[in-house]
Amino acid sequence: MSIGLGANNAGAPAASLDISPALLQQLSNAQSLNLRGYERLDFSDGATLGGSAMKSLSLDTPEIRVGPGEVNVSADAIALGNRGNAAAAAVSGQGVLNVSALRGHLTVGPGNLALSGAKQVNLSAARSVGFLGKSQVSAKGDINVTAATLNTFQAADADLQTTGQINLRHSELADPGLAGAGGHLTLSASRVSQGGVIDLPAGLLTINATGLGLPQDSSAIHFESGSRTLLKGLTKHMDSIAVTSPGGDLLANADGAGIQVHSGATLDVSAAPEGGGAGRLWFVAPLGSVALDGQLLGLASASERGGSLTVDSAKAIDLARLAQQLKAQGSAALANFAERLSFRNRTGDQRVLADTELHAHQIVIGADAGQLDIDGRLQANAKASAAGAQAGTITLAAGNGQNLNLNAGSWIAARNLTGQGGSLALMTTQRSAVG
C-alpha cells in the first residue's frame, strides 16, 4: 500500500490511500504521528507535513517520492526507516525534499530507504543526524546534511549514497548527544564535501567519490576548513571494569579525481585518553593528487599500537610538509602515526628532501613510474609487543626502469630492540645508487 500526501500529482500512480491537503493540515497539528507506507509515501508538489507543534514524526516506508515542486517535512524529532518492507530503487526528478528535526535528532534506519524524485534532498537536525542498525539511504540528486553531528548508534552499519553530491555542514549546539561506538558509515557520491562534524568513536568511515562531471585535476573529496572527522578510541566502564576500544579507521577513495584536506580541518583516529591503540587513515586517489593541509591525528603511547597513514595517489605528495605537520602534533608521551607510514605515487618522481625526517615502525615509499631520491632521514623504530620485540622495517621502491638513489647526507635506520638490525628493502627495475 502507498500513501498519497496532499493533492495527487498529474501522472502519479494512484495511491491506496490519499490524504487531502485539509486532512494533512490536521495531521500536522498532532503531537505525534506515525505513517507507514508498505510501498511508498507520495508527496504532492508543495506538500507540508508536521511543523513546530509536532513533537515526533515517524515515516516507515521503502520509498519517499516527491513531485517536481518542494516538499517540507518537520517535527521536533524525526525517524526515517523501512522496517521489514521490500527495498526500492531511487528514481531521479526535479523536486526538493526538506526533512528537518527542529529541536532533536533525525534518526535514519534501520532498513533501505529510497528518496525519489528529488534533485536536492536537505536533511537537517538541531542535534544529530544518526543512523540506526543496518540501513541504506539512496537518492539521485544532491544530499545536503546539516546537524551538530553526523553519527551512528551502537554498532550500526549505514550507507548514504547518491549519484549527485553529498555536502555535510555543521550547526552549532552545545550537546549534540552521544554517538554509539564501533559504527560503520559509508558515504558514496560523485563529490563529497565534509564541512561538518562526523563522530564515530572506534568506528569505520568510508568515503567513495567517483569524480564524475568534475573538471580535470579537481578534487572529489574535500575535508573543509573547520570540519572535524572524529574516530578516536573510546573507553567504557562496565561495573568496575574499563573496556577500551582502539581508534577507528577512515578510508577516503576518489576513483577519478583528487582528495583535499584543507587547512583548519581535523581528522582524528587517536587512541582513547585512557590508553589503547590508534587507528588508520587511508587516502586513495589513483588518478589524482592528495593534499593534506589539515590536522592529522593518530596519537598513541609508545606501549600501544600507533596510528597508520597511507597515501596512494597519482601525483607525489609533499613529504617535507607532511613530516613537519605530523611531528608538530606529537609529543614525548604520544607519538603521531608511529605504526606505519606508506606513500605511493603512481606517476612522476618522489624525493625525500634533506630536511625531512620520517619516523614510524614501518616506512614504505614507492614511485611506480618515476625516480625515488632519498636525501633526508628515515627511521623505522622497533617496538615491544605481547609476541616479543618487533624490528622496524623500511621499504623503498622505484619502478618502470627508474632509479632509486640514496644520496650523500641521507640517513636510514631500521632498528630492533634485541640489538640486531631491522629490515631494509630496496626495490627497482633499473638500479640503486648509494651516494
Side-chain angles (χ1 to χ4, degrees):
M1 183 184 77
S2 63
I3 299 176
L5 299 153
N8 287 332
N9 296 318
S16 300
L17 174 65
D18 286 328
I19 298 177
S20 67
L23 181 55
L24 193 62
Q25 179 61 46
Q26 293 180 36
L27 291 176
S28 296
N29 293 326
Q31 285 201 343
S32 179
L33 178 63
N34 299 314
L35 287 178
R36 186 172 190 183
Y38 288 92
E39 184 177 353
R40 65 181 170 272
L41 297 178
D42 276 308
F43 284 88
S44 67
D45 295 349
T48 295
L49 176 62
S52 58
M54 186 172 288
K55 300 299 182 184
S56 65
L57 173 62
S58 173
L59 302 181
D60 187 354
T61 183
E63 181 183 12
I64 295 176
R65 184 177 296 186
V66 300
E70 185 166 356
V71 170
N72 294 291
V73 177
S74 62
D76 282 2
I78 296 179
L80 304 177
N82 176 21
R83 297 177 183 271
N85 301 318
V91 297
S92 60
Q94 295 300 310
V96 175
L97 173 61
N98 302 314
V99 181
S100 302
L102 302 174
R103 297 180 180 87
H105 302 283
L106 171 55
T107 304
V108 182
N112 294 348
L113 174 62
L115 304 177
S116 292
K119 66 178 180 181
Q120 181 175 308
V121 176
N122 300 313
L123 306 177
S124 65
R127 302 188 74 180
S128 71
V129 172
F131 290 87
L132 177 66
K134 177 73 173 177
S135 57
Q136 181 187 90
V137 176
S138 59
K140 292 293 186 179
D142 294 345
I143 299 177
N144 303 312
V145 180
T146 303
T149 60
L150 177 65
N151 58 32
T152 62
F153 294 94
Q154 190 76 23
D157 186 0
D159 188 358
L160 179 64
Q161 60 181 242
T162 182
T163 55
Q165 300 186 14
I166 294 178
N167 301 299
L168 308 180
R169 297 296 178 259
H170 179 55
S171 63
E172 295 292 340
L173 186 71
D175 180 21
L178 295 177
H184 295 183
L185 176 61
T186 300
L187 307 176
S188 301
S190 62
R191 180 182 185 272
V192 177
S193 171
Q194 165 25 8
V197 176
I198 297 177
D199 191 10
L200 299 175
L204 169 63
L205 174 63
T206 303
I207 301 178
N208 299 314
T210 63
L212 292 177
L214 299 180
Q216 189 175 8
D217 296 328
S218 63
S219 293
I221 299 177
H222 292 262
F223 295 89
E224 308 289 357
S225 179
S227 67
R228 291 183 292 155
T229 306
L230 310 176
L231 297 102
K232 296 185 290 186
L234 180 70
T235 298
K236 284 193 170 184
H237 296 273
M238 297 184 227
D239 295 327
S240 60
I241 301 175
V243 179
T244 298
S245 300
D249 296 336
L250 165 63
L251 169 60
N253 180 32
D255 286 338
I259 300 171
Q260 187 161 7
V261 180
H262 295 265
S263 176
T266 298
L267 284 67
D268 195 346
V269 295
S270 297
E274 297 83 358
R280 296 170 290 186
L281 294 180
W282 281 282
F283 300 97
V284 181
L287 299 179
S289 61
V290 174
L292 303 177
D293 297 324
Q295 185 180 57
L296 307 181
L297 299 174
L299 301 169
S301 67
S303 62
E304 302 286 355
R305 186 195 73 190
S308 295
L309 172 61
T310 299
V311 179
D312 179 353
S313 57
K315 300 178 181 179
I317 194 170
D318 186 343
L319 290 178
R321 183 172 183 179
L322 178 60
Q324 292 176 351
Q325 292 171 322
L326 298 181
K327 183 178 180 180
Q329 302 304 325
S331 66
L334 296 173
N336 200 20
F337 293 103
E339 176 64 24
R340 180 180 173 89
L341 295 175
S342 177
F343 307 106
R344 174 190 183 188
N345 56 286
R346 303 190 182 208
T347 62
D349 301 333
Q350 176 61 280
R351 191 176 200 116
V352 179
L353 298 177
D355 59 350
T356 300
E357 295 186 15
L358 294 173
H359 299 260
H361 176 57
Q362 301 174 31
I363 298 175
V364 179
I365 305 175
D368 285 15
Q371 181 167 296
L372 176 58
D373 282 276
I374 307 298
D375 297 291
R377 298 170 64 90
L378 306 178
Q379 179 171 314
N381 301 312
K383 71 174 185 178
S385 69
Q390 297 182 21
T393 64
I394 296 176
T395 303
L396 305 175
N400 197 29
Q402 298 297 316
N403 292 341
L404 168 57
N405 301 316
L406 307 182
N407 298 321
S410 62
W411 187 86
I412 298 175
R415 296 179 171 175
N416 196 335
L417 295 175
T418 63
Q420 301 175 3
S423 172
L424 171 62
L426 306 177
M427 297 183 290
T428 176
T429 56
Q430 178 70 6
R431 65 181 177 88
S432 296
V434 179

